[in-house]
Amino acid sequence: MTQENILRVASVLTGLVGCEIGASRSPQIHEREADAQGIRLVYKLFDLTDTPDRLADILDAAALLGFAGLNVTHPFKQQVLPLLDALSEDARRIGAVNTVVREGGRWVGHNTDGIGFGDSLKRGLPAAELTKVVQFGAGGAGSATADALLALGARELVLVERDLARGETLAERLRQSFPNAVISAVETLERLDDASGVVNASPIGMYGHEGTPFDPRLLRGHHWVADVVYFPRDTELLRIARATGCPIVDGSGMVVLQAARAFELFTGRQADRARMLTEFERV
């Protein structure tokens, strides 16, 4: 949607579709940035925890009501793909969508998670060693974080995914985009000693999915640890990593910076990332 079109309407309708999203801070992130820019944006939550088969109905209703777009989160980032009319290059390469935008009567899928995670890692750990990174989770978020890690220069990436077929599918797709990197998928991992960094790209650690994605006793002080979970911001994994002496990056940077790009797709206006990060700290 262009800025010119935004100025012709009373408000921009957007929202988030997912399961167990009642604690999401996305409404505040988007609405406060819109307020700061002098536009009216309404951001609604569509929690399909009890009706996970209604994703298509939500898209149909949003189109009928004139929504500019929707964010999409767990567990729908890949399930939404066959419901869309077109994909951006990032979404096609990553194989997952977290933002859908209504363009010319069509739903177009985008992925802003990758750039959000990459920018967050660069901000939080600009000197992070990327020789070998172990990532837990190969779903929708994991597809984006893996793509970002390799784009930043990771030379070896190990995907730990209980659904091994899903992990191997992601690994093969990544090899096509990053042929010079060593990429593998395993079901479990018993040691992390030779890893440079560790990423939790699974929902484990968020409210309703408490715990850690692996035995945190495997961590060593030379590891850096990044978590995509942002609610709670200080996950059990990050608390243990900090106590072990590991540099850490929590999920707040990723969620705000991906939201900034989604805001731009929804409104056609440039997001003020510094302001959005500051506002998030106040929420």
Side-chain angles (χ1 to χ4, degrees), residues 15-32:
L16 173 67
V17 185
C19 292
E20 298 179 346
I21 57 173
S24 172
R25 295 296 184 263
S26 291
Q28 294 97 322
I29 293 171
H30 286 265
E31 291 178 356
R32 290 188 181 191

Side-chain angles (χ1 to χ4, degrees), residues 128-143:
E129 173 61 52
L130 296 173
T131 301
K132 180 178 180 179
V133 181
V134 175
Q135 174 178 296
F136 290 82
S143 298

Side-chain angles (χ1 to χ4, degrees), residues 9 16 24 30 50 58-59 68 80 86 126 136 157 159 174 177 195 214 229 232 236 255 279:
V9 298
L16 173 67
S24 172
H30 286 265
D50 298 325
I58 293 295
L59 290 179
V80 75
F136 290 82
L157 178 64
L159 303 170
L174 291 168
S177 299
F214 61 93
V229 174
E236 182 179 353
V255 72
E279 284 296 323

Side-chain angles (χ1 to χ4, degrees), residues 100-155:
V100 296
V101 179
R102 196 70 178 164
E103 298 179 9
R106 304 186 308 160
W107 284 117
V108 179
H110 298 262
N111 193 300
T112 69
D113 278 336
I115 191 170
F117 177 77
D119 287 349
S120 176
L121 190 61
K122 286 187 290 185
R123 284 171 177 255
L125 292 175
E129 173 61 52
L130 296 173
T131 301
K132 180 178 180 179
V133 181
V134 175
Q135 174 178 296
F136 290 82
S143 298
T145 55
D147 184 87
L149 287 165
L150 292 164
L152 288 172
R155 284 180 275 175

